Amino acid sequence: MAGTGPDVVVRELKHEEFRLAEKLWEEYRGQKNDMPEERVFAVFENGNIAATARCTRHLDGLEMDCVFSSERFRGRGYARLAVQALIDACGSEQIFIHSTIVLISFYKTFGFVPIPEDKLPRTIRERFLFCFGEMAGCNVCPMTRQGKA
């Protein structure tokens, strides 16, 4: 899938390329690919990984996370391209996210809507147990997007 110019490419990573995403995610809380049912979508500029979005299949639902653009590539719409690629590939099912409060309006442009914490699937909700039922206090808002048939 082509991006916004000849030097921009948007595509799903192969499992053997996940290390590229992990290197980028070192800027983003030291995140790792640690689940067998993950799909990672990336934007490359001139061959350099610039942004990612990850979709993880849990036992009871799909979760999108690791939407991240490297500091040096910010402001170019690359996170938007990565999220759209993920939705295009995984969006036939309902997708759940834990959005930071400041990014709620960004995710709404893709059709995500805020939901009560207790509406998250159990395995996805449990990833944020440290918030003790107060996700807003942790700067997090649960959201979902209904799949398209």
Side-chain angles (χ1 to χ4, degrees), residues 48-63:
N48 297 303
I49 192 165
T52 59
R54 175 172 70 176
C55 184
T56 302
R57 179 169 301 284
H58 296 273
L59 292 174
D60 52 0
L62 289 181
E63 178 186 24

Side-chain angles (χ1 to χ4, degrees), residues 38-133:
E38 293 182 346
R39 296 178 74 183
V40 179
F41 299 84
V43 178
F44 292 84
E45 181 183 278
N46 294 321
N48 297 303
I49 192 165
T52 59
R54 175 172 70 176
C55 184
T56 302
R57 179 169 301 284
H58 296 273
L59 292 174
D60 52 0
L62 289 181
E63 178 186 24
M64 179 176 69
D65 70 343
C66 290
V67 175
F68 181 71
S69 182
S70 178
E71 183 92 21
R72 71 181 217 215
F73 294 108
R74 290 202 179 138
R76 301 178 195 179
Y78 293 164
R80 178 170 297 284
L81 290 173
V83 169
Q84 190 61 60
L86 182 148
I87 288 172
D88 290 346
C90 304
S92 63
E93 296 180 64
Q94 186 173 15
I95 299 172
F96 296 90
I97 61 173
H98 294 93
S99 174
T100 58
I101 302 300
V102 71
L103 290 176
I104 291 172
S105 61
F106 171 75
Y107 290 116
K108 281 183 174 181
T109 67
F110 295 100
F112 285 90
V113 295
I115 58 172
E117 185 175 342
D118 65 355
K119 298 298 181 195
L120 285 169
R122 182 187 55 80
T123 58
I124 296 171
R125 185 177 60 245
E126 286 177 353
R127 291 190 353 95
F128 278 76
L129 283 178
F130 62 88
C131 289
F132 304 107

